[in-house]
Amino acid sequence: ETHGISFRIQVSVKEVLDKDILLKLLFHLPVGYPSTLPDISVNSDQLTRAQCMDVKEKLLEQAKKHLSEPMVHDLILWIQQHLKGVIKQSATVCNEKTTLSEGTEDGIWMLLLHLDHMRAKAKYVKTVEKWASNLRLTGRLMFMGKIILILLQGDRSSIKEYLILQKTSKVDVDSSGKKCKEKMMRVLCETEVQSQHKRFQTFEVKEYSTPEELQKEFETAGLTTLFSEFVPPLLK
């Protein structure tokens, strides 16, 4: 009632570059849908990240033409018919872009999440690492005592896609061992990266023995204010 619904659809598109391409589409329909545009995430093992972003942009362009009427089915039919053209166009545009400007339209954003617990820790950690890699996000998954924090940096659109995945995927298990979604996550901060903040070059999983060690990680990245504002209340 307050968040809308999310679902995944897998579509196989034939005869694109002489091979079948499997598209994994994640739709999040907000409460106001179809008067409000859906959020769309596109993944495919056979396409580059840039191509997936281009497919997403084209789908959103089509979605605007169907505003106020149910559109998911039409969007899927459209991409099945036009994927070849989108990929061809994407390759041309890609050659014209410099690597530096790619995907930085909205600037680099930062996200700090707090997780209450991880029952299936190994699987959960692997999933987070995979998402961060697929979305080209850097940062840290941090464990200190019972505190679990995820700090991410990357394109704003990728940050938003990560949030959808984190909220809608079965990433953990409940007390009876059944797979379950993350219901105890809190977004502590979502903001644009400022000049005083240092960019993380990789995504790493780290464990800290003391609050001082954790604080040093934030200070090294130029995030002292972020630490002092959000982390001390969790230590109490």
Side-chain angles (χ1 to χ4, degrees):
E1 288 180 12
T2 54
H3 297 102
I5 61 165
S6 298
F7 55 88
R8 278 196 188 80
I9 293 177
Q10 294 201 140
V11 183
S12 183
V13 184
K14 296 196 179 296
E15 296 174 16
V16 177
L17 309 177
D18 300 322
K19 62 181 177 182
D20 287 4
I21 289 189
L22 187 67
L23 286 180
K24 298 167 189 172
L25 307 171
L26 179 68
F27 288 90
H28 175 245
L29 309 184
V31 179
Y33 173 86
S35 300
T36 309
L37 287 177
D39 279 325
I40 305 172
S41 167
V42 179
N43 277 296
S44 175
D45 295 336
Q46 292 112 314
L47 299 181
T48 64
R49 182 81 201 118
Q51 285 174 325
C52 286
M53 292 299 283
D54 284 330
V55 171
K56 175 185 168 176
E57 279 173 28
K58 293 294 181 189
L59 281 171
L60 286 172
E61 279 176 26
Q62 289 301 310
K64 285 174 187 170
K65 297 176 185 176
H66 294 278
L67 204 56
S68 81
E69 59 186 65
M71 64 186 78
V72 173
H73 183 64
D74 290 323
L75 294 179
I76 290 165
L77 290 178
W78 187 88
I79 200 60
Q80 283 179 307
Q81 291 164 4
H82 296 90
L83 183 63
K84 198 169 186 174
V86 173
I87 291 173
K88 222 172 188 176
Q89 198 178 356
S90 174
T92 314
V93 174
C94 201
N95 292 335
E96 292 169 3
K97 278 184 183 175
T98 63
T99 316
L100 196 66
S101 69
E102 186 182 326
T104 55
E105 187 181 318
D106 289 322
I108 301 301
W109 279 65
M110 181 165 57
L111 179 71
L112 181 62
L113 301 174
H114 173 243
L115 302 182
D116 186 71
H117 62 273
M118 285 183 183
R119 283 199 176 92
K121 184 177 175 181
K123 177 182 172 288
Y124 205 133
V125 169
K126 206 171 176 180
T127 302
V128 170
E129 286 180 311
K130 185 185 171 190
W131 289 342
S133 171
N134 288 347
L135 294 168
R136 291 188 185 172
L137 296 171
T138 59
R140 299 285 183 268
L141 169 52
M142 302 177 274
F143 294 92
M144 204 289 296
K146 289 187 175 180
I147 294 172
I148 307 168
L149 297 170
I150 301 177
L151 181 60
L152 298 168
Q153 291 179 343
D155 295 346
R156 192 176 187 183
S157 58
S158 296
I159 292 276
K160 287 191 177 298
E161 282 187 44
Y162 180 91
L163 268 175
I164 292 173
L165 286 168
Q166 182 80 58
K167 288 174 183 173
T168 59
S169 305
K170 291 186 176 179
V171 284
D172 207 1
V173 295
D174 61 20
S175 53
S176 63
K178 287 181 182 172
K179 289 181 180 179
C180 66
K181 294 177 185 176
E182 177 57 72
K183 291 175 183 166
M184 304 287 282
M185 177 193 77
R186 280 196 300 144
V187 177
L188 299 178
C189 179
E190 187 179 353
T191 183
E192 193 164 8
V193 170
Q194 304 301 318
S195 54
Q196 70 269 26
H197 302 149
K198 290 182 184 166
R199 288 292 310 277
F200 290 109
Q201 298 305 308
T202 57
F203 182 81
E204 294 176 33
V205 180
K206 288 194 163 187
E207 304 223 7
Y208 309 86
S209 308
T210 63
E212 288 72 30
E213 279 183 22
L214 184 61
Q215 186 171 355
K216 194 174 178 186
E217 180 77 75
F218 277 80
E219 286 173 354
T220 306
L223 301 171
T224 308
T225 309
L226 190 73
F227 178 89
S228 57
E229 190 174 343
F230 296 105
V231 182
L234 303 174
L235 298 168
K236 289 172 184 174

